[in-house]
Amino acid sequence: MEYLKVIAFTHHHIDLKSLGKLVICDQSLDSRLKNVQAELPVSEIFYIGTCNRVEFVFLTKEKTDKEFVTKFLTVLDMGLPPEFMERFLDNVSVYENEEAFNHLLRTSCSLESLVVGEKEILAQIRKAYENCRDAGFTGDYMRMIMDRVVKTAKEVYTHTNISKNPVSVVSLAYRKLRELNMCGNSRILIIGAGETNQNIAKYLNKHKYSNFSIFNRTFSKAESLAAELGGKAYPLAALEGFNEGFDVIITCTGSTEAIITEALYAKLLNGDQGKKVIVDLAIPNDVTPAVIHNNLVHYIEVESLKEVARKNIQERYNELVHAEEIISNNIIEFFSVLKQRRIELAMQEVPRKIKEIKNTAINGVFADEINQMDEASREVLERVMNYMEKKYISVPMVMAKEILVNQS
């Protein structure tokens, strides 16, 4: 454990735009990590790059002070201008030994994420490690570290509520829609083709909803989203004359005034008396209050969703105590596993040595006597020797582990 180190650049201290300058593309990753191992005393290493963190997890006997980190970044040859190099050095987070292990566990359990409880980080760390493992940058020690990282994260996600409730407005809005049990051919009007509506539309499309009509001020964006969803695109001005009916309206625009007035809504209904669904994710709202008050509507709006998200986030933070306990227990367990592995590695020559002794005894020291035995006697002797060989291999290992357990 005393050689595990982490150099981390994260959203906690660096803006995401600047962080992007440290991201390493797949094509150059191997050559950059080879440079590190060639120029620095780093035995094992892997790289984690996500939208809000860039981290290097590695083994070295060196102290990871500012001089080491400077050389590390220089050897990576990222082509950073001097002003960015200084900014990164001033905002780097360095973890050593048990603190590094604790950080890696916390990160994999999403305790260090922009949104606590997001499970994607574990998959990202696993993939990052596996890519570097397959390229030959990691070995047995890092394998043990990652086995424990995965085990701990799974326990946290299974035995706490840290990821149970959604905290994004889009996921909450989608969950509300699903609770209404809309039929698969529901007519869905999407007003606005920005990121929020793109995300909720992709959720719906993934679950086999396909009857989309997309309206947007910039028609090309409506066309792009419509092509992705298999829907129809319209300029926002065409909403006034749209008469094909609807079951759901999803709206999120940047307008400072309401887009869906009572008069426009009446035109869109075109005489339909059925109850409709409106998802208004705009701030300020795209739908005037009169539309909600004077019509049969399931209304889902961003402020109520934000309040649910706030409560869910608080519940996730309340679970941090339980997550920390699981992490702490796994660190303690890992020290015992690590000691056992060190014994196994230290004694891995025992089986070979015992086999050598047996072969010397049979083919050298007692060869004449054995050759004078009849076949049945030789078979008995061989079984005895094989039995003794297995015991001589296993007994010292078991005893060493028992001593270790008793000492612990």
Side-chain angles (χ1 to χ4, degrees):
M1 183 63 67
E2 65 268 21
Y3 299 147
L4 181 65
K5 311 294 169 65
V6 176
I7 294 175
F9 306 91
T10 74
H11 60 91
H12 292 298
H13 305 293
I14 301 171
D15 66 276
L16 299 185
K17 186 176 180 181
S18 298
L19 199 58
K21 295 185 179 297
L22 284 170
V23 174
I24 303 175
C25 65
D26 292 341
Q27 291 77 11
S28 66
L29 179 60
D30 281 14
S31 62
R32 295 188 190 282
L33 294 187
K34 283 177 182 176
N35 284 346
V36 170
Q37 288 191 318
E39 299 292 331
L40 297 170
V42 170
S43 56
E44 299 183 36
I45 184 171
F46 74 94
Y47 157 85
I48 304 167
T50 72
C51 58
N52 53 36
R53 68 180 59 252
V54 169
E55 302 197 11
F56 299 90
V57 184
F58 56 97
L59 304 179
T60 184
K61 296 179 181 179
E62 299 293 310
K63 182 173 176 60
T64 43
D65 52 17
K66 185 174 182 178
E67 182 181 351
F68 181 92
V69 177
T70 302
K71 190 171 183 181
F72 189 96
L73 290 179
T74 304
V75 169
L76 275 175
D77 192 23
M78 301 291 289
L80 296 172
E83 63 271 20
F84 276 101
M85 177 70 90
E86 284 302 316
R87 186 186 306 175
F88 289 135
L89 288 173
D90 288 341
N91 293 282
V92 65
S93 298
V94 178
Y95 305 91
E96 296 187 326
N97 312 327
E98 185 176 341
E99 186 183 26
F101 189 41
N102 184 55
H103 167 77
L104 198 53
L105 292 176
R106 287 178 56 84
T107 301
S108 70
C109 298
S110 80
L111 273 59
E112 299 288 346
S113 294
L114 202 57
V115 178
V116 170
E118 294 295 341
K119 291 183 177 180
E120 289 81 1
I121 185 63
L122 174 59
Q124 291 168 333
I125 291 175
R126 287 183 73 171
K127 187 174 186 298
Y129 162 72
E130 288 166 1
N131 288 342
C132 290
R133 177 200 64 194
D134 295 344
F137 291 109
T138 67
D140 187 64
Y141 193 95
M142 206 66 83
R143 174 193 61 78
M144 294 183 64
I145 292 286
M146 283 306 301
D147 284 349
R148 183 59 52 163
V149 164
V150 173
K151 175 183 179 295
T152 305
K154 286 183 176 179
E155 287 180 8
V156 167
Y157 293 132
T158 301
H159 299 300
T160 75
N161 291 319
I162 200 165
S163 63
K164 292 295 189 295
N165 298 314
V167 294
S168 75
V169 167
V170 168
S171 58
L172 286 165
Y174 173 71
R175 177 173 285 195
K176 289 280 188 182
L177 281 173
R178 292 286 289 173
E179 288 173 358
L180 296 175
N181 295 316
M182 303 183 307
C183 63
N185 62 350
S186 295
R187 299 163 297 173
I188 303 173
L189 301 191
I190 297 179
I191 303 171
E195 184 178 359
T196 298
N197 277 357
Q198 288 176 34
N199 289 337
I200 196 167
K202 287 173 184 175
Y203 271 120
L204 290 164
N205 190 231
K206 182 179 179 181
H207 288 84
K208 311 306 179 187
Y209 292 94
S210 57
N211 195 348
F212 296 99
S213 298
I214 298 99
F215 297 82
N216 195 62
R217 279 197 175 87
T218 305
F219 182 56
S220 60
K221 289 186 176 180
E223 285 184 308
S224 177
L225 183 56
E228 191 171 349
L229 301 175
K232 298 177 182 178
Y234 303 87
L236 186 60
L239 192 62
E240 186 85 18
F242 187 78
N243 59 7
E244 296 181 23
F246 71 95
D247 300 297
V248 181
I249 291 176
I250 299 173
T251 182
C252 184
T253 72
S255 175
T256 57
E257 297 181 1
I259 287 183
I260 303 177
T261 62
E262 197 167 12
L264 175 58
Y265 190 74
K267 288 183 180 180
L268 292 172
L269 283 173
N270 198 23
D272 191 339
Q273 298 297 312
K275 193 170 187 177
K276 305 299 180 183
V277 179
I278 298 178
V279 181
D280 188 351
L281 301 180
I283 299 176
N285 293 100
D286 281 340
V287 182
T288 59
V291 170
I292 312 306
H293 295 150
N294 300 329
N295 295 274
L296 289 172
V297 173
H298 284 292
Y299 186 53
I300 302 168
E301 51 91 25
V302 72
E303 281 303 324
S304 62
L305 295 176
K306 285 173 70 177
E307 178 59 22
V308 175
R310 187 193 65 77
K311 290 179 179 177
N312 287 352
I313 287 174
Q314 186 57 49
E315 286 182 14
R316 288 188 175 190
Y317 274 97
N318 291 342
E319 290 296 300
L320 288 179
V321 174
H322 302 136
E324 295 279 11
E325 288 176 359
I326 292 172
I327 289 172
S328 179
N329 290 337
N330 271 278
I331 290 174
I332 294 169
E333 287 178 13
F334 183 72
F335 281 127
S336 178
V337 171
L338 188 60
K339 288 178 181 177
Q340 290 184 24
R341 182 57 177 160
R342 284 175 174 165
I343 290 172
E344 290 172 0
L345 292 175
M347 300 184 70
Q348 63 185 355
E349 283 293 298
V350 170
R352 187 180 64 81
K353 290 290 186 183
I354 289 175
K355 286 181 184 294
E356 285 181 2
I357 293 170
K358 186 186 79 171
N359 289 332
T360 300
I362 293 173
N363 301 313
V365 179
F366 300 104
D368 292 340
E369 291 90 335
I370 292 173
N371 288 334
Q372 293 173 18
M373 291 180 177
D374 57 64
E375 186 174 346
S377 299
R378 282 200 298 270
E379 286 180 1
V380 171
L381 178 62
E382 186 173 348
R383 290 203 303 271
V384 170
M385 293 290 286
N386 288 338
Y387 174 81
M388 295 296 291
E389 178 186 351
K390 289 178 182 178
K391 289 300 180 181
Y392 277 124
I393 291 172
S394 63
V395 169
M397 199 78 72
V398 171
M399 290 178 66
K401 288 183 179 179
E402 287 177 351
I403 292 169
L404 178 64
V405 170
N406 291 334
Q407 286 179 343
S408 300

